[in-house]
Amino acid sequence: METALALGHVLGVAFALWTFNGRAGGSFWRGMPPGLMLISPEWFLTSMVKAIGWEITLAVWLLRGQPSSPWGVRPGSRSGRISRLTVAERAARDREMRAAERSRVPGA
């Protein structure tokens, strides 16, 4: 039983890191490039802590109504550094994502 719980936790950590990377603007399919850890140590450390405690992170995210990620690449960034976005930058990103989603869905 303990083995199943440990395996579930480890798989949850991997899935959490994959999800945080995708929500911050990284690639879901190519994984997290090692250079990302050096470009944005603040994001990496925050994501690692949240991934290790993914059960609590998931509960808080669901209780807050599934808000969008406060992390992302700033518009016009040349470095690709992931950082905490301002409220205005986050709102603009969310509008763009909704518009892109509507354009992909037929009949919307």
Side-chain angles (χ1 to χ4, degrees), residues 35-107:
L36 184 62
M37 295 177 231
L38 300 173
I39 291 173
S40 186
E42 179 189 11
W43 172 83
F44 179 73
L45 290 174
T46 302
S47 294
M48 285 300 294
V49 169
K50 288 167 65 178
I52 291 168
W54 68 267
E55 297 91 346
I56 297 167
T57 303
L58 176 62
V60 169
W61 181 70
L62 290 171
L63 289 172
R64 288 185 178 172
Q66 304 172 0
S68 66
S69 175
W71 298 92
V73 177
R74 285 207 155 73
S77 169
R78 300 180 92 196
S79 69
R81 183 179 193 280
I82 296 173
S83 57
R84 189 172 287 277
L85 301 174
T86 65
V87 174
E89 290 170 331
R90 212 168 142 189
R93 181 193 61 195
D94 292 347
R95 277 192 304 274
E96 288 175 17
M97 289 176 69
R98 281 193 298 272
E101 188 66 32
R102 274 189 242 112
S103 69
R104 282 188 282 175
V105 176

